[in-house]
Amino acid sequence: DNLLLLTEGGKVAYYGPTTHSYEYFNTIHNPDELLFSLEDSDKSPDEWKKEYRENDLYLKYVSDRLHTPVSMSNPKTSSKGEFRFALRQWWILSSRYLRIKGKDLVNTTLLILQAPIIAGLLCLLLLRTNGRVIHSFLFDQADHITPMFILGLAALWLGSANAAREIVSERAMFLRERMINLKLPSYLMSKFFVLFLLSAVQSVMLLGIAHVILRFSGNFFTQWLVLLLTASSGLALGLLISALVNSSASSASILPLILLPQIIFGGYLVP
């Protein structure tokens, strides 16, 4: 490995192999001695800089490299390499995110339980006996659009709430990893992929409970796919909010302001 030592003012006192640095500074094989050599020396930063530039190490590891033309690789090979790197990075980030969610059992369990609780509340609103609605507080008895609309709203809200804090809560870690070649598509897709799996489970529970208790008609898979796509839209919206705000509290405050107009102007409450 190469070692870079800077003096006061950011002037280069040494750059080259670590093994050569001990001989250059006439020290024992102890990295601490290198720093002491700079700190205890009577030489000024400019003198250290001048001495290094007059050494063969500067020619070999700095000057020659600056004047060496960079060879252009095959664009097709480079594109393939970039794609493979991004795909591998996505897989690593997704695996890490899954492990984090798996270790946080309390929060993950609460997220999953939101779906059956909402479905249960909907079923309390529309109870069935012998296939007929016997009690409805607000809606027409034969209206199957109403519960589907509520389930769609629930999927949208759950998807948005699941993602609204995911980026802003780890902004410091994201910025550190961004400095070491973290790919934005890999990072965002890892978030979206894991949260998509969570939304898929929530959508199954929402629709499954409603199908059993309210005895929905129609194809289960088609209705589940609609809920999942709605939740996915909420995920994308939640990630956008999380990327724009500066704190988790701000994301929680903005989320209702974004979702409530969609409910009010969705076309069902006021055709």
Side-chain angles (χ1 to χ4, degrees):
D1 295 334
N2 289 334
L3 173 69
L4 173 63
L5 290 176
L6 301 177
T7 60
E8 185 178 352
K11 295 180 173 60
V12 178
Y14 177 84
Y15 177 72
T18 304
T19 53
H20 292 181
S21 64
Y22 306 119
E23 180 181 353
Y24 182 83
F25 289 100
N26 296 319
T27 62
I28 60 175
H29 286 198
N30 185 346
D32 293 338
E33 293 292 331
L34 301 177
L35 300 178
F36 291 139
S37 298
L38 291 175
E39 184 178 359
D40 299 337
S41 174
D42 295 331
K43 295 180 182 178
S44 67
D46 288 326
E47 289 174 332
W48 278 114
K49 176 182 176 182
K50 180 180 178 182
E51 182 177 330
Y52 174 67
R53 292 206 170 198
E54 292 174 350
N55 194 281
D56 293 339
L57 291 171
Y58 176 79
L59 289 175
K60 182 176 181 180
Y61 293 101
V62 180
S63 181
D64 289 349
R65 292 184 179 182
L66 290 175
H67 295 89
T68 301
V70 179
S71 60
M72 298 298 292
S73 58
N74 187 337
K76 293 184 178 179
T77 304
S78 178
S79 298
K80 290 181 180 178
E82 284 283 326
F83 176 76
R84 290 173 182 171
F85 176 77
L87 188 63
R88 182 172 178 272
Q89 195 174 77
W90 164 80
W91 177 251
I92 293 173
L93 292 172
S94 298
S95 302
R96 183 181 70 180
Y97 191 32
L98 275 172
R99 287 195 299 270
I100 292 173
K101 287 295 186 184
K103 291 180 180 179
D104 191 4
L105 290 177
V106 175
N107 185 56
T108 303
T109 302
L110 290 175
L111 289 176
I112 294 175
L113 288 179
Q114 291 177 24
I117 291 173
I118 293 174
L121 292 175
L122 176 62
C123 293
L124 287 177
L125 182 65
L126 299 171
L127 299 177
R128 285 177 173 271
T129 299
N130 297 326
R132 294 183 179 181
V133 176
I134 62 170
H135 191 64
S136 175
F137 292 105
L138 300 174
F139 308 109
D140 184 30
Q141 293 181 351
D143 188 8
H144 276 194
I145 299 178
T146 296
M148 281 303 301
F149 178 74
I150 296 175
L151 290 178
L153 292 179
L156 179 66
W157 195 287
L158 289 176
S160 302
N162 291 343
R165 300 183 182 184
E166 292 304 316
I167 295 178
V168 67
S169 63
E170 55 182 38
R171 183 183 298 274
M173 182 177 68
F174 166 77
L175 293 176
R176 286 196 303 269
E177 295 181 347
R178 186 77 175 120
M179 292 189 293
I180 53 174
N181 204 23
L182 173 65
K183 301 291 185 182
L184 284 177
S186 300
Y187 177 78
L188 290 175
M189 288 308 298
S190 69
K191 293 290 186 186
F192 189 88
F193 173 70
V194 175
L195 294 174
F196 180 84
L197 296 179
L198 176 62
S199 296
V201 175
Q202 290 176 326
S203 300
V204 168
M205 299 180 76
L206 276 172
L207 190 61
I209 293 173
H211 254 270
V212 171
I213 298 179
L214 299 181
R215 300 181 186 179
F216 277 5
S217 59
N219 185 277
F220 179 88
F221 177 78
T222 303
Q223 294 171 348
W224 171 74
L225 187 61
V226 170
L227 287 184
L228 184 57
L229 292 175
T230 304
S232 299
S233 300
L235 285 180
L237 182 61
L239 289 174
L240 175 62
I241 294 173
S242 187
L244 294 177
V245 299
N246 295 322
S247 66
S248 298
S250 297
S251 66
S253 301
I254 292 176
L255 187 61
L257 299 178
I258 300 297
L259 294 181
L260 286 176
Q262 298 186 56
I263 299 173
I264 295 172
F265 300 107
Y268 180 79
L269 298 178
V270 181

